[in-house]
Amino acid sequence: MENRSDLDDVLGALEAARPDVVRTSSAERAAAVLRAQVDEGRLRSGARLPEESIARALGISRNTLREALSQLVSERIVVRVPNRGVLIRTPTADDVRDVYRARRVIETGAIRVGAGGDEFLQAMRAAVSEGRDGLATADGDAVATANQHFHRAVVAQARSSRLDVEMNLLLAEMRLVFFRSGSASDFHSRYVERNGEIVELLAGGEVESAADAMDTYLRDAERHLLTQFSPS
């Protein structure tokens, strides 16, 4: 996080989250706040995390922050680099393959188990509309965020808090992957309408067709992303 204005933005967001962190007095909550900064695209691959500034912004001790960072290391969100400190991790091609393998299992399974439901269809439709609005204003970050919202809503159909947690971890990793894919608008624009097609299949009760469409979609996205990586 070398850009001072970017750091100030992140620290401001962390200060806003301080009441939740202080109330729970939890390294886990601090990790969740930092993970959300990655998920929303504020912390990007290679950004350095200054421990003293972040601990102060969150109103927690350095030891509590280090516990939180250790958790994020285990989640492959951050990495400790000798003589540089803690950095947001840069994913590899193997990470992409593994994340998409997990996503195909979780997202197609959630579709089959959940089979839609009005509240989830509404959330998915809202994410599709959000993505279309982002495209209309050429706001690539908004399109990328809308895509995250869509896939989170897909998994929410399963009504499993454990799957929701796992999907949050995967989506944080995915945000880091997307930073290597060039323009967010260029990458995500081709998937906005495919999101809409999956919603309409679910709305029409075509659950297996929706699951198959999601499997194909994720395989296409994986191949697309891997073109941005050197062969491995």
Side-chain angles (χ1 to χ4, degrees), residues 116-196:
D118 286 345
E119 63 182 299
F120 303 110
L121 289 172
Q122 288 175 12
M124 284 184 272
R125 282 200 173 108
V128 172
S129 294
E130 183 185 352
R132 288 171 177 157
D133 289 344
L135 285 177
T137 58
D139 186 341
D141 285 341
V143 178
T145 297
N147 192 63
Q148 301 281 82
H149 294 164
F150 173 78
H151 289 283
R152 190 173 284 113
V154 167
V155 173
Q157 295 177 96
R159 298 174 176 83
S160 166
S161 59
R162 289 171 176 81
L163 285 180
D164 290 340
V165 168
E166 187 60 33
M167 193 61 183
N168 284 339
L169 301 183
L170 290 170
L171 288 177
E173 276 198 85
M174 283 306 308
R175 184 67 98 158
L176 297 179
V177 169
F178 291 141
F179 294 148
R180 296 195 54 170
S181 67
S183 163
S185 181
D186 287 347
F187 179 85
H188 290 289
S189 61
R190 69 191 69 189
Y191 298 102
V192 171
E193 293 309 320
R194 291 177 74 169
N195 290 347

